């Protein structure tokens, strides 16, 4: 079963706009990670945020984590056509071993030139 | 550093057949995890190998089995293939001793069962 649920399922924006994707999860976690996938290929790691962190930045990416609401958001600023991809959140559960990742169904982002 | 490599990239098999997928982890990584990603879905955890032993297993039947070799590379075997086994199979590697670290994924093997 999938723990995370991304919202929205699909998002279409214009180049230069910001894109925000949300993720909710069900159990306690050690960390939450965001991945990007282009056209059904491999996953590319974007950012990892630990359960004791609230916000993290990496280039044009900003991730927030609210463990009380069991939710996270990924903000991509000044989007580019090359950002077109599916984005997945993945949680590392704190029980039963944190080694496996539990993925949501993803948000399909389309950035129009 | 070649990163995580998987072979083959594409595979077509007939129902009832058996298949073996291969994965070489990123240099310095000793743990390999396998995921199944059906079309339009997120990856689902199959199992994880460390020190040549299965450490964790997801909700997959015994038809799915694996192996890890002394050089940390791994194989995923699926017996008695079903049409529903058609999916992208992803391998991820990570260092066992480091919690809260990113997993590196390969490009995947696209399996089609006909």
């Amino acid at each position: 079963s999938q723990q995370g649920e991304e919202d929205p399922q699909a998002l279409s924006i214009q180049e230069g706009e910001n894109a925000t994707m949300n993720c909710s999860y069900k159990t306690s976690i050690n960390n939450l990670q965001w991945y990007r996938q282009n056209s059904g290929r491999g996953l590319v790691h974007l950012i990892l945020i630990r359960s004791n962190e609230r916000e993290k930045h990496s280039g044009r990416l900003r991730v927030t984590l609210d463990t009380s609401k069991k939710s996270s958001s990924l903000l991509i600023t000044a989007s580019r056509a090359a950002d077109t991809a599916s984005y997945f959140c993945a949680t590392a559960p704190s029980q039963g071993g944190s080694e496996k990742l539990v993925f949501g169904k993803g948000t399909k982002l389309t950035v129009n030139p | 550093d070649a990163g995580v490599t998987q072979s083959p990239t594409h595979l077509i098999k007939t129902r009832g057949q058996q298949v073996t997928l291969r994965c070489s982890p990123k240099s310095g990584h000793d743990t390999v995890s396998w995921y199944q990603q059906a079309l339009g879905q997120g990856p689902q955890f199959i199992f994880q190998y460390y020190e040549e032993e299965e450490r964790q297993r997801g909700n997959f039947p015994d038809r799915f089995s694996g192996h890890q070799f002394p050089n940390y590379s791994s194989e995923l075997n699926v017996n008695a293939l079903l049409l529903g086994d058609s999916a992208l199979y992803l391998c991820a590697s990570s260092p066992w001793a480091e919690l809260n670290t990113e997993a590196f994924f390969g490009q995947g093997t696209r399996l089609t069962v006909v």
Side-chain angles (χ1 to χ4, degrees), chain A residues 48-66:
Chain A
L48 179 152
I49 185 165
R50 293 175 172 75
S51 59
N52 61 352
E53 297 176 314
R54 293 295 166 260
E55 188 172 311
K56 204 161 182 180
H57 296 255
S58 177
R60 294 185 295 116
L61 306 180
R62 172 179 170 256
V63 168
T64 62
L65 178 64
D66 186 335

Side-chain angles (χ1 to χ4, degrees), chain A residues 1-2 30-31 33 35 37 39-45 48 50 88 96-106, chain B residues 33 35 37 40-45 48 56-58 88 90 96 99-108 110:
Chain A
S1 63
Q2 291 176 297
N30 281 333
N31 66 68
Q33 305 178 39
Y35 286 84
Q37 184 176 44
S39 300
R41 301 189 67 193
L43 297 169
V44 175
H45 185 267
L48 179 152
R50 293 175 172 75
F88 295 90
S98 65
E99 297 84 6
K100 74 174 187 181
L101 294 175
V102 181
F103 286 83
K105 293 185 179 181
Chain B
S33 301
Y35 293 81
Q37 185 178 20
Q41 302 293 314
Q44 297 264 346
F45 176 79
Q48 181 183 73
Q56 279 201 77
R57 188 178 183 92
L88 180 68
L90 295 162
W96 178 265
L99 286 177
N100 286 319
T101 188
E102 64 185 277
F104 285 79
F105 282 80
Q107 288 298 300
R110 173 74 62 187

Side-chain angles (χ1 to χ4, degrees), chain B residues 73-114:
Chain B
S73 66
S74 176
E75 287 182 349
L76 164 65
N77 301 294
V78 187
N79 294 323
L81 284 167
L82 304 173
L83 295 180
D85 295 331
S86 295
L88 180 68
Y89 288 85
L90 295 162
C91 168
S93 74
S94 57
W96 178 265
E98 298 178 31
L99 286 177
N100 286 319
T101 188
E102 64 185 277
F104 285 79
F105 282 80
Q107 288 298 300
T109 294
R110 173 74 62 187
L111 173 65
T112 302
V113 182
V114 298

